[in-house]
Amino acid sequence: MHARLSRSVLILCLSTVPAFAQDTPDTIAPDIGSRVVEGYVTPALTRFRETSGALSEALEKACSGTPEDDLNAVHAGFANTLSAFAHVSVLRFGPLVAENRFERIFFWPDPRGVTLRQVQGLLASEEPLPDDLTSQSVALQGLPALDYVLFGAGGDALPTDARRCAYAEAISANIADLAAELEEAWAEGTSFRAAFTAPAADRDPYRSSAEVAGEIVKAAGTALEFARNAELLPALGKTVEKARGKRAPFWRSGQTFAFAAAQIEGVQKLIAAAGFVDGPSDLVNTYGHGMDFDLSHAREAVLAVETAPEEAFSEEPDRGRISYATIAMEGAKHTLNGELSGALGLVMGFNALDGD
């Protein structure tokens, strides 16, 4: 099931290709790319760079001493970095998918526990730590690995465990470097940003504002589908007996639902920046408001979960809250890929996750 899910998510990312008329429909703001870059991409990337940098600094400080406040600062920095990346993760195209950056930051789904095995093996080994994490498995490089190092068995002894500290610092530095790379790849003057903000027939990969709009719709749909099908539903299970909270990302740090809520919020902010809620078309805005309504309720539901992730998926009323959130997310996704895309004049390709 999980292997099929992984393949389906990949198919969604690669094959949900929009088809367009030659001219951009007047329901799409001609400056849609610039609006999204200024209103969403730039602030999201800046925040990710700042929070990941602050986390790296907090780890360096904690590993040079033993005060409890320093470890608390690391935990707060981790939560802030997760929240920032949740918004960036919505931009799953262009620079984020190049050079395996998404997987290097967030290797998920991981149904076979590759991250756990490799991280535990690295921590237990007497061999020197790798000089360069970028040459190692993606499972050793990103946020799920750091979640275990900081909050898994032995995490509370971080300041006095030299090997654990060195590895945590290496992961955080790697994530901070990736955040800087992403910001640079989207910077003014780059060919990708030029194509996204000023598409033209001779530019790659976007030749029209309609193609930019299609990329935004695809990104929002992929983000919702991934958060629902790869993060929440496997842990929820089809019955209470099959619920497994430890199948959810970031359960050790207790950040599962804060992360999901931030992803949902990211989709809301993306469609608003694109002009799908308050843009040139009243019809598009109607569907955009409908999406925003569903997503607000989904976000409120996951934020209302009261118990720890490893318990919440099997205990009422939290199980009901999570289930409701997944239903609301699915409703928003269908509005996006159906009525809203139609109102924009886009014809979206087959979604391989529909019906799962």
Side-chain angles (χ1 to χ4, degrees):
M1 173 182 176
H2 292 290
R4 180 167 60 88
L5 174 61
S6 300
R7 291 194 299 271
S8 297
V9 170
L10 179 62
I11 291 169
L12 172 69
C13 294
L14 297 180
S15 69
T16 307
V17 180
F20 311 106
Q22 185 174 3
D23 298 323
T24 297
D26 58 11
T27 53
I28 297 173
D31 61 343
I32 185 172
S34 295
R35 291 175 57 147
V36 167
V37 167
E38 294 170 8
Y40 188 79
V41 176
T42 297
L45 293 177
T46 298
R47 181 170 170 243
F48 184 39
R49 173 180 54 78
E50 291 175 347
T51 56
S52 59
L55 172 60
S56 188
E57 292 176 4
L59 268 165
E60 184 177 354
K61 183 177 180 182
C63 288
S64 63
T66 58
E68 183 178 340
D69 288 347
D70 289 345
L71 192 55
N72 290 339
V74 169
H75 292 173
F78 182 75
N80 290 337
T81 301
L82 279 185
S83 176
F85 176 68
H87 283 192
V88 172
S89 71
V90 175
L91 303 169
R92 199 166 176 181
F93 58 89
L96 186 57
V97 299
E99 301 177 20
N100 291 325
R101 288 191 181 104
F102 182 92
E103 290 77 14
R104 289 165 62 195
I105 299 170
F106 184 37
F107 178 62
W108 199 266
D110 183 15
R112 294 177 179 166
V114 175
T115 298
L116 180 62
R117 290 199 308 274
Q118 292 189 0
V119 171
Q120 286 180 329
L122 186 65
L123 290 173
S125 174
E126 295 182 358
E127 295 293 323
L129 288 171
D131 292 331
D132 181 12
L133 276 187
T134 63
S135 65
Q136 302 298 307
S137 162
V138 294
L140 290 171
Q141 295 187 34
L143 292 166
L146 190 55
D147 184 70
Y148 179 82
V149 175
L150 297 181
F151 300 95
D156 54 352
L158 180 76
T160 58
D161 185 335
R163 186 175 181 86
R164 201 178 196 102
C165 259
Y167 181 36
E169 289 183 87
I171 298 173
S172 66
N174 182 59
I175 294 169
D177 287 344
L178 288 165
E181 286 180 20
L182 285 169
E183 192 172 42
E184 184 177 345
W186 273 96
E188 191 167 354
T190 59
S191 59
F192 184 82
R193 177 171 173 146
F196 193 82
T197 58
D202 59 347
R203 283 187 166 165
D204 184 54
Y206 308 110
R207 295 164 297 173
S208 68
S209 295
E211 290 191 354
V212 174
E215 188 76 274
I216 293 164
V217 168
K218 184 175 67 172
T222 298
L224 289 176
E225 200 75 356
F226 191 82
R228 178 181 182 271
N229 282 24
E231 297 172 22
L232 296 178
L233 286 183
L236 190 66
K238 292 186 177 180
T239 65
V240 173
E241 292 74 22
K242 293 184 178 180
R244 298 290 186 274
K246 293 181 181 180
R247 290 178 181 170
F250 310 120
W251 65 268
R252 291 182 179 86
S253 58
Q255 293 295 318
T256 299
F257 304 114
F259 183 69
Q263 289 172 303
I264 295 168
E265 181 183 51
V267 173
Q268 290 179 281
K269 289 187 174 183
L270 177 63
I271 65 171
F276 298 164
V277 178
D278 187 20
S281 167
D282 289 341
L283 182 59
V284 171
N285 295 342
T286 296
Y287 296 128
H289 280 291
M291 266 194 74
D292 189 66
F293 179 86
D294 283 341
L295 293 178
S296 290
H297 281 75
R299 182 170 176 268
E300 290 169 4
V302 293
L303 287 176
V305 173
E306 298 176 343
T307 50
E310 62 265 39
E311 302 168 353
F313 289 90
S314 57
E315 294 187 3
E316 296 293 357
D318 285 331
R319 180 176 172 83
R321 294 184 175 112
I322 300 165
S323 180
Y324 172 79
T326 65
I327 293 170
M329 292 163 73
E330 180 73 354
K333 188 264 297 183
H334 279 302
T335 299
L336 175 71
N337 287 350
E339 294 92 341
L340 192 146
S341 294
L344 287 169
L346 308 179
V347 180
M348 303 306 294
F350 174 68
N351 181 340
L353 296 187
D354 279 347
D356 278 14

